[in-house]
Amino acid sequence: MSRQLLIMRHAKSAWDTGAPTDFERPLAARGQRDAPRMGRWLLSEDLVPDHVVSSPATRARETVTLVCETLGFKRKRIVWDARIYGADTDELLEVLAEVPKKAKTVLLVGHNPGLEFLSSFLANSVPQSDSVFESGLVRTATVVQLKMPEDWSTLQAGCASLITIQHPADLS
């Protein structure tokens, strides 16, 4: 298969932790279960990334760390990119444009609505309001798998093909 992008929304976060900011909210117990579950699914599907980039927000950091532990991907190789937190499609495209040319499978971990908009932009050449990515489809810990073109730096609307959308609740 050619290049793949695995877009993963952070796992379920906790709201009642007393975290001083949204950025610092940690994972809830369900998120701590779902993140490794999704890592096991990625492993079973032979979707081990060779490049991982994540939001540094606490819930995304905890999610990607649990996923990468399950995959055997070393934590020190994760790229932490603050632009992902609160990013829109253009900002996420900038992040992807910096992916190493040799990377074949990339895992991008972040937040909605940005990830849903990015998925819609890449996999559809129609306006987001007409997208297969309806609001709420990319729920917490969901992975969207896209077949990508060869050049990470010149991604255009509709350049990708949707392979699958995997929700943790759908796994046994």
Side-chain angles (χ1 to χ4, degrees):
M1 181 175 278
S2 62
R3 294 178 194 266
Q4 295 183 88
L5 177 60
L6 307 169
I7 298 174
M8 183 177 192
R9 184 175 174 198
H10 64 79
K12 179 72 176 165
S13 62
W15 288 91
D16 57 354
T17 65
T21 66
D22 178 70
F23 188 87
E24 297 169 278
R25 279 192 300 116
L27 290 180
R30 187 177 96 199
Q32 292 171 1
R33 287 188 308 271
D34 285 348
R37 174 183 290 165
M38 294 307 291
R40 289 188 297 276
W41 176 78
L42 290 168
L43 193 59
S44 74
E45 297 295 310
D46 198 27
L47 295 173
V48 178
D50 47 24
H51 185 76
V52 176
V53 61
S54 176
S55 162
T58 301
R59 59 195 179 275
R61 183 180 291 270
E62 290 177 354
T63 298
V64 76
T65 299
L66 290 167
V67 168
C68 286
E69 284 173 2
T70 304
L71 295 172
F73 189 95
K74 295 188 184 325
R75 186 170 192 240
K76 67 182 179 181
R77 292 183 50 216
I78 300 169
V79 176
W80 306 105
D81 194 320
R83 294 175 295 178
I84 297 171
Y85 180 77
D88 61 19
T89 300
D90 289 338
E91 291 164 317
L92 292 169
L93 289 171
E94 289 173 11
V95 170
L96 291 173
E98 296 171 11
V99 166
K101 292 185 187 311
K102 66 180 183 226
K104 295 288 185 191
T105 301
V106 173
L107 174 62
L108 172 68
V109 180
H111 313 269
N112 262 359
L115 294 182
E116 200 161 283
F117 291 154
L118 176 68
S119 299
S120 178
F121 174 84
L122 293 172
N124 298 287
S125 57
V126 296
Q128 290 172 356
S129 61
D130 297 330
S131 170
V132 296
F133 294 94
E134 300 166 8
S135 181
L137 184 60
V138 183
R139 300 184 298 262
T140 55
T142 294
V143 173
V144 176
Q145 180 187 7
L146 299 173
K147 180 179 176 184
M148 301 296 290
E150 289 301 312
D151 187 353
W152 294 108
S153 66
T154 59
L155 301 176
Q156 302 294 320
C159 70
S161 300
L162 176 64
I163 298 171
T164 192
I165 300 174
Q166 182 63 58
H167 304 287
D170 296 336
L171 298 173
S172 56

